[in-house]
Structures are given as C-alpha cells and as structure tokens.
Amino acid sequence: LYQHWRFSCKCSRCLDPTDLGTRTSAIRCLTPDCSGHLLPHTSLLWRCELCESLDSVENVLKVVRRAENKLRNNVGGDCDSASLESILSVLNESLHPNHFLITQVMFVLLNTYSNEIDKQPGTEKNKDVHHKLERIVQLGEKLVWILQLLDPDSVVLGRILRILIPNWMQFYKQELESGDISSTEFQEKKVECFRFVDILLNTSTRSINK
C-alpha cells in the first residue's frame, strides 16, 4: 500500500499476509515440484508457505498479469458453464484456489449455472441439473465463507446467498429422495441453510442502515 498510495494500513487484513486465512492473493509456488503457495513476505519479496523459497514481487505480478490476460481473452457475455469450468481449471494451475481472480470466475459461474437451470426443463429428475445444483452449492458455500471474512457488508454476498439458498434446498431434497443422504443429514443441511438465511437478513439490514 505504501509503495503505491503512500500510506500504511494497520487493519487486521492488511497486517495478515494470508488475507485472514483466505489466501485470496496467493499464487502457486514457482519452485519446481513444490505444491505450496507464495504469500507476501516483504514489500519486494514473497515467500512460499511450504518450501519457504523467496520470489520477487515482479515475478508474482507476471503470473497475475498472465492470468488476467487469460480472463480477458476467454470470459465474455456468452460463456457457458463448461467454458467457465475450463478457465477455472487453467487458472488453478498458477493461482491459489481462493485467489481473487478465481473467485471472480466462480461468481460468474454461479450465476451461469443458476440461469442454465432456470432454462432447463425436468429439474427434478435431470442428472445434468443435479450436477449443476451441486456445483452451485460448492461455489456458493466457498464464496460466502470468503466474503464473510473479507467483506461481510458486500452487496455481492447478498446476491450469492439469493442464488445459493433455494438451490441448496433443491439439491439436498434431491439427495434425500435418491437415498444419498439420510433424514437426519437432510435436517442438518436445513439448519445450515437457515444460517445462510440469517446471514442474508443481516447483510440486508446493514445495507439498509448505511
């Protein structure tokens, strides 16, 4: 921050190189055969959590810029879920799974799956729709966790929850009907869904009171 804007922030997020445990800035370690991730260490160096090797901020920015270019060249208004999943897979090769560029694609993918389900008939028995519901649950749950930590008052959090909540219930109802989960497990999932509703209500209340 100081290098670019000439001020130093002392908030908990800025003081934590892991972004409060979310690792939304981390990239994959550039050392061959290392499965760790690079995080800010000093203003000019990043360090791998696993092998502790150091790399320059310039090299980190090169990785991020390449990822940004892939997004610009491949993500458009007409992207379907399969194309977005492919882009997500490519970005995961160089970035942490929670990197902010990946979460942007995840948000678009969440909306895309929701729109595709709305246009698809036979939602109760269609295996393709069930898979899309599962992905909405996976993507939505992770995005809610990240935003609750980093930006709990975000308007985007409310948008995610409005997609996640009805699809969450539909997915687990189908899981119950197919025998993949028990009645007890289904009740547990309902409780989790009620927690999402509480988060949505709190987010909406804070937005109104601003």
Side-chain angles (χ1 to χ4, degrees):
L1 281 174
Y2 185 79
Q3 186 178 3
H4 292 284
W5 303 105
R6 292 296 183 262
F7 77 91
S8 297
C9 179
K10 300 296 183 182
C11 77
S12 56
R13 179 180 177 182
C14 287
L15 291 174
D16 182 359
T18 72
D19 288 314
L20 304 181
T22 62
R23 290 165 175 77
T24 51
S25 300
I27 70 167
R28 293 199 179 274
C29 182
L30 302 177
T31 302
D33 301 322
C34 179
S35 59
H37 295 91
L38 291 170
L39 289 167
H41 180 56
T42 68
S43 60
L44 298 176
L45 293 172
W46 286 46
R47 184 172 64 183
C48 177
E49 288 185 290
L50 188 60
C51 72
E52 297 189 342
S53 63
L54 296 172
D55 232 300
S56 68
V57 68
E58 287 85 359
N59 285 339
V60 171
L61 289 174
K62 285 178 184 177
V63 173
V64 174
R65 289 191 190 108
R66 282 197 296 268
E68 288 174 335
N69 287 333
K70 287 173 185 174
L71 282 182
R72 289 194 199 97
N73 296 332
N74 293 286
V75 176
D78 58 347
C79 267
D80 60 11
S81 56
S83 300
L84 291 167
E85 289 283 13
S86 177
I87 295 163
L88 209 56
S89 179
V90 170
L91 294 180
N92 268 299
E93 294 174 3
S94 58
L95 308 175
H96 189 280
N98 295 344
H99 193 276
F100 69 88
L101 291 176
I102 287 181
T103 59
Q104 289 176 19
V105 179
M106 288 169 63
F107 178 62
V108 176
L109 187 54
L110 182 84
N111 282 279
T112 302
Y113 275 130
S114 179
N115 292 333
E116 288 178 355
I117 288 173
D118 289 341
K119 296 174 183 176
Q120 215 163 336
T123 54
E124 293 304 316
K125 297 180 180 178
N126 192 308
K127 289 183 179 179
D128 181 51
V129 169
H130 189 71
H131 167 70
K132 290 176 180 179
L133 287 170
E134 183 176 26
R135 286 296 285 141
I136 287 175
V137 167
Q138 293 167 348
L139 295 164
E141 195 170 17
K142 176 175 273 194
L143 288 169
V144 167
W145 173 72
I146 291 171
L147 280 173
Q148 270 198 286
L149 287 170
L150 300 184
D151 193 4
D153 295 330
S154 169
V155 173
V156 175
L157 177 57
R159 292 174 184 166
I160 292 166
L161 287 163
R162 287 184 181 92
I163 294 173
L164 175 61
I165 290 166
N167 287 290
W168 175 283
M169 286 306 302
Q170 187 177 346
F171 173 71
Y172 284 110
K173 281 179 182 177
Q174 291 184 10
E175 290 281 281
L176 177 65
E177 289 165 1
S178 63
D180 290 322
I181 62 173
S182 66
S183 296
T184 301
E185 289 171 318
F186 178 67
Q187 291 303 318
E188 291 171 354
K189 294 301 179 182
K190 281 180 68 175
V191 171
E192 288 185 59
C193 192
F194 294 152
R195 182 178 67 84
F196 292 137
V197 173
D198 286 341
I199 296 170
L200 177 58
L201 291 173
N202 290 334
T203 301
S204 302
T205 301
R206 287 195 296 268
S207 298
I208 292 170
N209 292 335
K210 277 186 176 181

